[in-house]
Amino acid sequence: MAIITAILLITALPLYVTFLGVYLPQSKYRQGLLFAVRLPEEALESAEIRRVRQRFNKQMAYVAIGMALLLAVLLVLLHKWVAYQMIGYVVWMIAGTIGMVMPFRRAFRDTLAAKRLHNWYVGPRNTVWSDLRVAQLKNERAAPMALFAVPAALSAGLIWLGYEQGIVVAGIAAAFLTAVLAALSLAVRASKTKVYSRNSEVNVALNQHFRRMWTYALWWVAVAENVHAWLAIRLALTYGEDMFGFWLTAFALFTLLPIGVFFYAHRNVRRTEREMLASDSQVIYSDDDEYWGNGFTYHNPKDRSLFVEKRVGIGMTINTGTLAGKIIVGGIIGVTVGILAFVLFLLVRSELTDPEMIVTPERVDIRYPMYNVQFDVADIEQLALVDDIPSGAKVNGEATERVARGHFRLKELGTSRLYVFKNQPPYIQIKLSDGYIFYNERDPQRTEQLYEQLRQYAASGHGEMSSAK
Amino acid sequence: MVISLEYDSEVPMYEQLCDQIIIGIATGQLAEGEKLPTVRQLARELGINVMTVNKAYARLRQEGYIVIDRRHGAMISPRADSGEVEQHAAKLKRQLRLLIAQASVKGIGRAQFQQLCSEIYSQMAIQN
């Protein structure tokens, strides 16, 4: 089963759809914005703006088709070589991000240039707005922070459950995500309010609605991610069994859930804004285009607020004009690049190096980066050459279609270390006091030779040891 | 009520804030006894320094437009009683003398000055 291919596809599709969903609608004039530039309606009639829109639509069509083809090629052609498939996937993600952003960036710049040329300014510039009543009442209807006790308790339960089953990672990841979502909820509460109208009631209603939708959306996602982590544990425990397909599907569906929840919150907020402002005669427009670099990054040193609502896409973005904003954005980029580079390095190394077993009359040494193991020949409790390895789940290491290396939990045998090429029997099975080790070479004959050597050394060491073929 | 501050105005931020709150009271957008945000809340909302808002509130309090209570925070003062009106009339007279002098030097005559005053009165829809 091409699990990696399936997982890559499951993660790539939402990414692809999200990108298209975010950038394609930018060529539509909505709430006074076109390509994230505030424009008066009459500007849409100009030939320049029409050209910009046409070019953008054409470029986006090319990018969308190109990216889909590239992904298909990547997943089909490279599915045998996991490391290269992963690298290809990362390249696809980066290329896709750039490819999707470029047409938008160009359209944004051209639109802004046309706006400056024709003086299409709407509302006052360099002005900051605030509603005195909203400042006090903004969080009255938001989800109470205490609600996060529920997902926090779920995470604690998962860590405990994982501890019993030997898979703590899922619980810790859930706890971490819960903490991140709680922090985001705090950020939404603390974020700057928006002034829509001279009418305070409209401002209070819309700002409260925005906070209510987003804080509850974040809370629901925190709960859902804990269920997701529980599904991950179930999935790991049923690896290779009949129910595996069911758990994999459930797991995959939960990957999409947060996107759905956030999308719903976003749509709901925007719809309410449209409806309320349509019947309001005192709407305020202000022009802060100059602080939106590229149309989607916010840089305003005069504004001390860290989080502002996005113009393009869903949610909030960070003000890189503040020191904290610079640190956060720099940190995120640094950590992401670091993790990606590290993971890809590990993958390539494992693709290029194979485990090696060195046998001497006294000691056995299995060498494989990060998963070295050494033991005395005298410590071998049982030695056998087997044709099958019981099914099980990876605890830590690599499990691909070709190989299984690292720490695993196997049915009936429990914790084991595997250094095997899958579907290349036989396998050397070694029982030590703290678990089993499985090892084979790519070449079955080499495996048999190694086994024979081991058996001789072990037999000369102590006669009572049981061995079997 | 909605406050708008201009970043590159000649008028300092704290003064812009004071002026708008006073106008807000006069036009009835801010009612007697209505609570204002805390200094911290407002500074965060406007993305400006806490000290700026603090300065504005201190001046508004000093001039009697708002009262600051340890427990309830800042709120709009009750309307002036007759004693204060007398006092303020004297202050206003001083300020107007300067304004009228400036206006006449710049060529704005009595009729035009009075015309401007009544225009502003009707625009602001001053509440009594």
Side-chain angles (χ1 to χ4, degrees), chain A residues 125-138 190-195 197-200 203 211 284 291 298 300 302-305, chain B residues 1-9 13 16-17 20-21 29-30 34-38 41-50 57 74 76:
Chain A
R125 297 154 68 193
N126 283 327
T127 303
V128 56
W129 302 81
S130 175
D131 189 306
L132 295 179
R133 271 178 67 203
V134 178
Q136 301 169 70
L137 303 173
K138 59 182 186 180
S191 70
K192 195 169 166 167
T193 55
K194 217 164 143 182
V195 177
S197 162
R198 294 246 168 235
N199 183 350
S200 264
N203 292 331
R211 274 142 216 277
I284 292 173
Y291 303 116
Y298 184 70
N300 184 356
K302 288 174 193 158
D303 185 351
R304 283 166 175 253
S305 48
Chain B
M1 102 162 259
V2 173
I3 296 278
S4 65
L5 305 183
E6 283 172 39
Y7 289 129
D8 359 310
S9 163
M13 285 269 194
Q16 294 183 39
L17 186 55
Q20 290 188 33
I21 288 178
Q29 291 180 72
L30 289 172
E34 184 168 335
K35 275 171 78 173
L36 291 178
T38 64
Q41 274 174 339
L42 192 55
R44 182 174 278 187
E45 281 305 314
L46 291 166
I48 61 178
N49 201 310
V50 176
Y57 273 25
I76 305 299

Side-chain angles (χ1 to χ4, degrees), chain A residues 23-222:
Chain A
Y23 287 106
L24 276 183
Q26 297 306 321
S27 69
K28 293 207 181 77
Y29 181 69
R30 269 208 223 138
Q31 296 187 309
L33 292 175
L34 179 78
F35 297 120
V37 175
R38 195 164 284 293
L39 283 183
E41 222 169 325
E42 66 265 19
L44 301 178
E45 305 298 326
S46 80
E48 273 158 294
I49 296 297
R50 262 196 219 137
R51 255 202 315 277
V52 172
R53 285 170 113 168
Q54 265 169 8
R55 193 179 53 216
F56 173 82
N57 287 334
K58 205 164 106 188
Q59 285 178 343
M60 281 306 280
Y62 286 142
V63 171
I65 294 166
M67 291 310 296
L69 285 177
L70 204 64
L71 183 68
V73 168
L74 190 79
L75 294 181
V76 173
L77 283 189
L78 292 177
H79 83 275
K80 278 238 167 84
W81 299 277
V82 173
Y84 300 119
Q85 197 179 31
M86 286 294 281
I87 295 173
Y89 178 68
V90 171
V91 171
W92 179 83
M93 270 200 318
I94 295 170
T97 311
I98 296 170
M100 295 251 183
V101 170
M102 286 313 275
F104 169 75
R105 214 174 102 104
R106 177 143 187 217
F108 165 77
R109 290 187 158 190
D110 292 350
T111 310
L112 196 61
K115 171 176 170 168
R116 290 203 174 121
L117 189 69
H118 298 281
N119 218 359
W120 285 324
Y121 287 101
V122 184
R125 297 154 68 193
N126 283 327
T127 303
V128 56
W129 302 81
S130 175
D131 189 306
L132 295 179
R133 271 178 67 203
V134 178
Q136 301 169 70
L137 303 173
K138 59 182 186 180
N139 287 324
E140 295 277 290
R141 288 176 65 231
M145 285 310 288
L147 273 183
F148 274 92
V150 176
L154 289 176
S155 297
L158 281 173
I159 292 175
W160 179 70
L161 177 76
Y163 186 71
E164 305 249 294
Q165 308 283 353
I167 311 164
V168 199
V169 189
I172 291 174
F176 177 72
L177 254 177
T178 303
V180 168
L181 290 164
L184 284 176
S185 183
L186 275 178
V188 168
R189 292 171 140 262
S191 70
K192 195 169 166 167
T193 55
K194 217 164 143 182
V195 177
Y196 297 89
S197 162
R198 294 246 168 235
N199 183 350
S200 264
E201 268 167 45
V202 170
N203 292 331
V204 170
L206 286 178
N207 278 291
Q208 285 185 344
H209 185 68
F210 171 82
R211 274 142 216 277
R212 183 178 180 78
M213 290 310 290
W214 279 100
T215 50
Y216 274 103
L218 287 165
W219 182 78
W220 276 110
V221 168

Side-chain angles (χ1 to χ4, degrees), chain B residues 1 11 14 16 22 29 38 40-41 43 47 51 54-55 62 65 75 79 83 91 94-95 101 111 113 117-118 124 128:
Chain B
M1 102 162 259
V11 186
Y14 85 94
Q16 294 183 39
I22 295 169
Q29 291 180 72
T38 64
R40 234 161 241 291
Q41 274 174 339
M51 291 309 293
N54 212 2
K55 199 168 167 186
Q62 198 193 346
Y65 295 105
M75 59 168 83
R79 282 300 165 111
K91 189 183 166 195
R94 258 197 332 270
Q95 290 171 332
F113 190 91
C117 280
S118 53
M124 295 220 291
N128 293 309

Side-chain angles (χ1 to χ4, degrees), chain A residues 211-253:
Chain A
R211 274 142 216 277
R212 183 178 180 78
M213 290 310 290
W214 279 100
T215 50
Y216 274 103
L218 287 165
W219 182 78
W220 276 110
V221 168
V223 172
E225 284 310 310
N226 277 282
V227 178
H228 201 184
W230 175 73
L231 284 170
I233 294 177
R234 286 299 325 235
L235 192 63
L237 291 178
T238 51
Y239 186 80
E241 283 177 24
D242 297 344
M243 292 290 280
F244 184 68
F246 169 77
W247 292 113
L248 185 67
T249 314
F251 183 78
L253 283 178

